[in-house]
Amino acid sequence: MPLQTSLIPLAPATYDAFFAYLGDQLKENGQGGTPLFQPMSRAQPTLAPERAAAFRQALDTPLGQPGWRRAWVAVGPEGIRGHVDLRARPEPHAQHRGMLGMGVHRDWRRIGLGRRLVGLAVQWAAAQDGLDWIDLEVLSVNAPARQLYLATGFVQTGEHADMFRIDGEQHGYTYMSRALRR
Ligand SMILES: CC(C)(COP(=O)(O)OP(=O)(O)OC[C@H]1O[C@@H](n2cnc3c(N)ncnc32)[C@H](O)[C@@H]1OP(=O)(O)O)[C@@H](O)C(=O)NCCC(=O)NCCS
């Protein structure tokens, strides 16, 4: 099954399907056995239209300029099975670092797709002269994602306990990084 999954750059023709896929994934945030994976309330299971618009614009922003983003999707005959994206850090003087985000559709988890998607993002980033690091932030409660990142070469660099108060719960935020050049 995983062999039938193609990993391709997110292109304008796929934007609508992609944002529908993201919106569908967000409905699972902290629900039905899936850990909270976005620092958002369960009562807000939608992707704000302005976030989608900013995402599109960022894909056209040249690498190295503030706000750049690149994204890839894993696709099968029935549609999008997963995604990974890299984006600029918000801080000035940190253009040599990218931030990673990702997800896999609930029907396609635990078959190695997440690992393939991280591998693709790392491979792409390592080929960019201007990038030396990939960073990410993950809710500490999200054990599947933390395990995946550890399994793909990320190292935990810190954790803020009680970073978020969401739906009456305290949530820690874990910080991880991976060097692209050794
Ligand atoms: C986290 C997520 C992306 C993992 O994707 P996936 O395709 O299922 O991951 P893979 O099958 O490639 O698993 C690779 C490794 O990750 C770890 N892992 C993945 N899911 C796990 C789980 N439920 N429990 C424990 N470890 C897990 C394991 O180490 C696994 O290796 P193994 O299968 O050899 O044991 C997926 O669960 C997901 O989309 N979750 C919701 C969204 C999300 O959390 N996004 C990340 C936000 S930071």
Side-chain angles (χ1 to χ4, degrees):
M1 285 295 226
L3 291 177
Q4 296 172 345
T5 308
S6 304
L7 272 48
I8 56 172
L10 178 62
T14 322
Y15 285 172
D16 287 346
F18 177 67
F19 291 113
Y21 149 90
L22 275 189
D24 174 62
Q25 197 161 89
L26 210 46
K27 289 184 193 142
E28 280 182 280
N29 192 31
Q31 309 271 13
T34 302
L36 203 73
F37 57 82
Q38 278 288 332
M40 292 167 60
S41 167
R42 294 163 181 85
Q44 288 180 306
T46 51
L47 186 72
E50 58 271 22
R51 273 188 69 192
F55 196 109
R56 287 179 192 227
Q57 194 178 347
L59 293 172
D60 292 328
T61 303
L63 178 66
Q65 288 194 12
W68 68 267
R69 189 189 288 258
R70 297 293 178 273
W72 297 263
V73 284
V75 292
E78 80 295 340
I80 296 177
R81 295 178 177 176
H83 79 284
V84 65
D85 71 272
L86 290 169
R87 64 187 189 276
R89 291 200 61 104
E91 303 91 343
H93 309 295
Q95 295 96 328
H96 58 297
R97 310 183 75 100
M99 295 279 288
L100 182 139
M102 68 172 309
V104 171
H105 188 281
R106 63 185 78 86
D107 292 344
W108 299 96
R109 291 184 186 147
R110 292 315 300 260
I111 55 169
L113 205 46
R115 200 186 283 268
R116 278 180 68 192
L117 285 159
V118 174
L120 174 68
V122 168
Q123 190 184 20
W124 180 85
Q128 311 305 313
D129 284 342
L131 286 177
D132 288 343
W133 296 85
I134 299 178
D135 304 319
L136 61 86
E137 299 163 351
V138 54
L139 282 158
S140 302
V141 73
N142 191 354
R146 288 173 55 198
Q147 284 302 318
L148 168 62
Y149 299 139
L150 287 174
T152 51
F154 283 82
V155 172
Q156 182 169 331
T157 55
E159 180 177 20
H160 282 163
D162 195 18
M163 174 74 178
F164 301 106
R165 305 260 173 106
I166 300 172
D167 300 337
E169 303 162 356
Q170 297 183 359
H171 282 281
Y173 218 22
T174 295
Y175 302 88
M176 302 177 96
S177 294
R178 184 184 154 143
L180 295 170
R181 298 165 219 296
R182 313 257 171 209

